[in-house]
Amino acid sequence: MHHASDPASDPAAGTSTGPDAMPGAITREQLEALLQGVADQDRQAFARLYEATAAKLYGAVLRILKHEQRTDDVVQEVYVTIWQKAEQFDALKASPITWMVTIARNRAIDELRRRPTARHEPADILDQTASDTPSARERLEGEEDAQRLYTCLEELEGRRQDMVRLAYLEGWSRADLAEHFEQPVNTVKTWLHRALKQLKGCLAS
């Protein structure tokens, strides 16, 4: 949580992080220079970096959370992290935007794990799957099934848990998962297969 005195609490006054915000035309070299400026605590460089990348990071987070208010909150936290950790950026290991998007995606996944039922409440699941209004007993059973699913998900190893959530709750493709987890597509498929096998075993027990 950031405080009002933190320069990242309002990175660029008047700049929207919503879906209509457009990143400025900027090169990798310019982004690297801005990140260096941020590492040196240059607020003007930070504001320019924010304006140039906010839409990109907003989209990366929204894709995971599917909730605008939560996305706004996470994006602000991401820029606080960027302000605090800019000096850790290594241009030899990643491009500036890749480094920033990775921070954004990881923070969004943390949020998803912290509040896993925020989007998929049991009642919502019933509404999506039932063709008519369920009886009280059916509704209760449905909620119990949903809670059991969440409990079993929590038992998966961290990476596999994140992968299953992103693949089946958020609709990420195997290619997206491979890029995010920095693994070959075949490895992602193997991990998902094993994770689902473990999940089914938990649900059947």
Side-chain angles (χ1 to χ4, degrees), residues 63-64 66 112 119-120 125 128 149-150 153 156 159-174 177 181 188-197 199-200:
R63 184 176 184 181
I64 295 173
K66 302 293 196 298
L112 194 66
R119 288 185 55 244
H120 301 277
I125 294 174
Q128 294 167 9
L149 172 61
Y150 296 134
L153 267 174
L156 293 176
R159 266 192 169 195
R160 292 184 182 182
Q161 180 183 145
D162 292 340
M163 192 172 287
V164 169
R165 289 185 189 281
L166 293 173
Y168 297 103
L169 298 183
E170 308 303 330
W172 280 36
S173 70
R174 303 299 184 267
L177 292 169
F181 290 96
V188 167
K189 290 179 179 179
T190 299
W191 284 2
L192 278 177
H193 176 74
R194 291 175 180 171
L196 289 177
K197 185 176 181 180
L199 195 59
K200 289 178 181 178

Side-chain angles (χ1 to χ4, degrees), residues 89-159:
F89 169 69
D90 186 345
L92 297 178
K93 293 182 178 180
S95 70
I97 198 64
T98 297
W99 183 74
M100 296 173 70
V101 167
T102 298
I103 291 174
R105 284 180 172 176
N106 288 340
R107 182 64 191 83
I109 291 174
D110 287 343
E111 172 71 7
L112 194 66
R113 294 179 69 181
R114 186 173 69 86
R115 298 171 56 192
T117 62
R119 288 185 55 244
H120 301 277
E121 294 291 347
D124 293 337
I125 294 174
L126 282 172
D127 289 342
Q128 294 167 9
T129 57
S131 57
D132 52 12
T133 303
S135 66
R137 180 176 178 180
E138 290 171 336
R139 188 183 185 89
L140 179 61
E141 290 175 348
E143 290 176 354
E144 290 175 348
D145 287 345
Q147 189 56 52
R148 187 173 181 80
L149 172 61
Y150 296 134
T151 299
C152 286
L153 267 174
E154 292 297 330
E155 293 182 5
L156 293 176
E157 181 269 330
R159 266 192 169 195

